[in-house]
């Protein structure tokens, strides 16, 4: 969830949401609050999980930046076809 939210915020940070109690809020503010609260809860209970959560958020942002610049990291996970042996 964190990587997906980080990717969406990287693509459209100024998108506005209408929240019932808060009115119109930018998506990047909602994401910052969400990331901060999740990181705080992980840091209190499980510090290695907090570090990995931070890494997941950074990976989501880095993947989106790379994709926007034309570099597709998903090709690293595709199987390469073997050439027929004679």
């Amino acid at each position: 969830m964190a990587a997906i939210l980080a990717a969406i915020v990287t693509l459209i940070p100024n998108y506005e949401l209408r929240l019932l109690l808060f009115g119109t809020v930018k998506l990047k503010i909602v994401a910052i609050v969400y990331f901060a609260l999740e990181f705080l809860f992980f840091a209190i209970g499980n510090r290695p999980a907090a570090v990995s959560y931070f890494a997941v958020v950074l990976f989501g942002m880095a993947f989106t930046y790379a994709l926007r610049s034309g570099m597709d990291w998903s090709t690293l996970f595709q199987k390469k076809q073997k050439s027929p042996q004679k």
Side-chain angles (χ1 to χ4, degrees):
M1 170 81 177
I4 294 171
L5 183 60
I8 292 170
V9 169
T10 303
L11 289 174
I12 49 172
N14 293 322
Y15 188 80
E16 293 182 347
L17 300 171
R18 289 189 185 261
L19 300 177
L20 183 64
L21 297 176
F22 299 106
T24 303
V25 181
K26 292 195 183 285
L27 183 62
K28 64 183 171 184
I29 301 299
V30 172
I32 289 170
V33 169
Y34 174 76
F35 292 147
L37 287 174
E38 284 288 322
F39 185 76
L40 179 68
F41 290 141
F42 281 134
I44 290 171
N46 189 358
R47 292 188 187 206
V51 173
S52 66
Y53 181 78
F54 185 67
V56 165
V57 170
L58 289 179
F59 179 79
M61 292 175 69
F63 184 81
T64 305
Y65 279 127
L67 198 58
R68 286 177 108 186
S69 68
M71 191 171 115
D72 187 10
W73 291 353
S74 65
T75 58
L76 296 172
F77 301 109
Q78 292 178 351
K79 289 184 179 181
K80 295 181 182 176
Q81 292 182 354
K82 296 180 180 179
S83 61
Q85 295 179 352
K86 294 181 182 180

